[in-house]
Amino acid sequence: YVAFDDCNLTRFTGVVTNVSPDVCYLALWRVTPADNSSAALTITVLKEVSITGAGNLKTRTFDVDMTAEVNNTLSRGDIIVPVVRNIDTSASMFFNSTLSMSYNK
């Protein structure tokens, strides 16, 4: 997602499935690119949550209130990257998420 205007993140929700009892980690990263710059981009971790799997046929849900997070503001042009990682033995994992935000205007 690329922010088209200044805004605040309000909720990060979704579903994930993975093998029990493996733990997967979901995160939101923010990157702020600079126009006409070759400088390395800095990644800011906005939020990370962990979910213990219940099996690939059992959906686990998550709902994170982002309003109280320190890093919940986006500026125009910021890039948000949802990240999922599993460091256990699951051969497959499924993930879908929604990001809600409120605009300052």
Side-chain angles (χ1 to χ4, degrees), residues 9-99:
L9 301 177
T10 56
R11 296 203 90 69
F12 177 41
T13 60
V15 295
V16 64
T17 63
N18 65 322
V19 174
S20 174
D22 288 359
V23 177
C24 67
Y25 299 89
L26 312 169
L28 287 177
W29 292 354
R30 179 184 64 211
V31 178
T32 304
D35 185 39
N36 199 26
S37 173
S38 61
L41 297 176
T42 300
I43 295 173
T44 301
V45 178
L46 303 177
K47 185 68 176 181
E48 183 175 85
V49 296
S50 62
I51 298 176
T52 302
N56 280 338
L57 298 177
K58 296 181 180 176
T59 302
R60 297 297 311 271
T61 62
F62 61 94
D63 185 357
V64 179
D65 181 359
M66 296 294 294
T67 57
E69 296 299 319
V70 174
N71 293 318
N72 77 337
T73 60
L74 301 180
S75 297
R76 182 179 182 182
D78 282 353
I79 301 169
I80 295 297
V81 181
V83 179
V84 61
R85 97 183 138 98
N86 183 5
I87 58 174
D88 295 313
T89 60
S90 292
S92 63
M93 176 176 49
F94 303 92
F95 167 72
N96 195 354
S97 68
T98 299
L99 186 61

